[in-house]
Amino acid sequence: EAQVTQNPRYLITVTGKKLTVTCSQNMNHEYMSWYRQDPGLGLRQIYYSMNVEVTDKGDVPEGYKVSRKEKRNFPLILESPSPNQTSLYFCASSLSGWGARTYEQYFGPGTRLTVT
Amino acid sequence: TQLLEQSPQFLSIQEGENLTVYCNSSSVFSSLQWYRQEPGEGPVLLVTVVTGGEVKKLKRLTFQFGDARKDSSLHITAAQPGDTGLYLCAGGDSGGGADGLTFGKGTHLIIQP
């Protein structure tokens, strides 16, 4: 089954404790992206990746890191989480980078992160 | 940054009624997508429109892209409880950059049985 998986689905952590949220897709998609979704603010892009070893900042990259060492995986790293990073996070992938806007983005099920 | 404004933010209607939700911007988009998101899940694509004036139908849902490619609407005929969800519009940058989609904040739709 074509899908994007994220782990963990739920995470409660404390300020400053490094964490990684994994994302994997099995559709051989080139383009992958991370979003956060907050009430009243909608979905905002954190980082995206056009292909392996190619990543770039989205609208809200501060406090986050990503890597794309393999085509299927795109982990999101919070080196020193803070309470303002409490949010619902979505990973997404699509077939292509250029012209990605016209391609369907497949979203993962989300990771609900709480930083205390 | 291009912005997309969706209206209304919240809409609660009875089963069987018709409704329209809107997605507006002052910017031109190369394409516009509509997604539906249910609680506890990620958004799922409903449709992509790419040509100004384009109309697409998906069963009881009708999507329209404005002539100037700055706005879009979603019309639902005879709404059903299964249509309940968060409807998001997302625009593709017409500037040629590969920086992903710009999402509106969404319309929360509740269809009461």
Side-chain angles (χ1 to χ4, degrees):
Chain A
E1 179 190 356
Q3 60 182 349
V4 178
T5 56
Q6 294 178 228
N7 282 293
R9 292 291 311 277
Y10 302 90
L11 180 60
I12 300 173
T13 190
V14 296
T15 299
K17 186 176 181 182
K18 180 179 178 180
L19 66 93
T20 300
V21 184
T22 64
C23 172
S24 183
Q25 50 92 6
N26 63 0
M27 296 168 280
N28 202 36
H29 283 172
E30 289 186 351
Y31 184 94
M32 297 186 74
S33 182
W34 275 102
Y35 295 89
R36 61 179 289 175
Q37 188 174 38
D38 302 287
L41 297 177
L43 270 169
R44 294 178 294 167
Q45 190 179 50
I46 302 170
Y47 269 94
Y48 65 94
S49 170
M50 298 285 285
N51 211 325
V52 176
E53 301 293 1
V54 181
T55 64
D56 211 342
K57 296 177 180 179
D59 295 321
V60 288
E62 292 76 22
Y64 304 95
K65 286 175 56 177
V66 293
S67 68
R68 188 92 181 272
K69 293 184 171 54
E70 306 165 279
K71 198 170 188 179
R72 63 183 292 127
N73 296 323
F74 190 45
L76 178 69
I77 302 156
L78 284 71
E79 294 269 3
S80 183
S82 62
N84 65 10
Q85 292 178 298
T86 292
S87 187
L88 180 57
Y89 291 86
F90 288 102
C91 180
S93 73
S94 67
L95 188 61
S96 174
W98 293 107
R101 57 200 68 88
T102 64
Y103 287 98
E104 175 176 4
Q105 290 212 20
Y106 291 79
F107 284 82
T111 295
R112 186 165 291 281
L113 172 66
T114 301
V115 183
T116 61
Chain B
T1 303
Q2 298 173 297
L3 294 175
L4 279 167
E5 305 252 355
Q6 290 191 243
S7 61
Q9 279 188 284
F10 299 93
L11 182 59
S12 179
I13 63 171
Q14 293 295 123
E15 181 177 2
E17 294 184 13
N18 302 332
L19 67 106
T20 302
V21 298
Y22 300 92
C23 176
N24 295 302
S25 176
S26 58
S27 304
V28 175
F29 288 95
S30 60
S31 65
L32 203 129
Q33 297 180 340
W34 284 91
Y35 290 79
R36 182 168 71 204
Q37 184 179 9
E38 300 189 20
E41 299 180 11
V44 176
L45 181 71
L46 296 173
V47 77
T48 300
V49 285
V50 296
T51 306
E54 183 175 1
V55 177
K56 280 192 174 178
K57 293 192 175 185
L58 185 66
K59 296 182 181 178
R60 294 175 294 99
L61 279 61
T62 302
F63 304 85
Q64 185 162 9
F65 201 12
D67 290 340
R69 290 186 288 128
K70 292 183 178 182
D71 55 84
S72 182
S73 63
L74 158 59
H75 181 79
I76 300 179
T77 303
Q80 299 178 0
D83 296 326
T84 293
L86 175 65
Y87 288 80
L88 297 162
C89 65
D93 188 353
S94 64
D99 56 356
L101 297 169
T102 298
F103 280 85
K105 294 178 182 178
T107 292
H108 292 267
L109 176 63
I110 296 174
I111 310 300
Q112 316 256 16

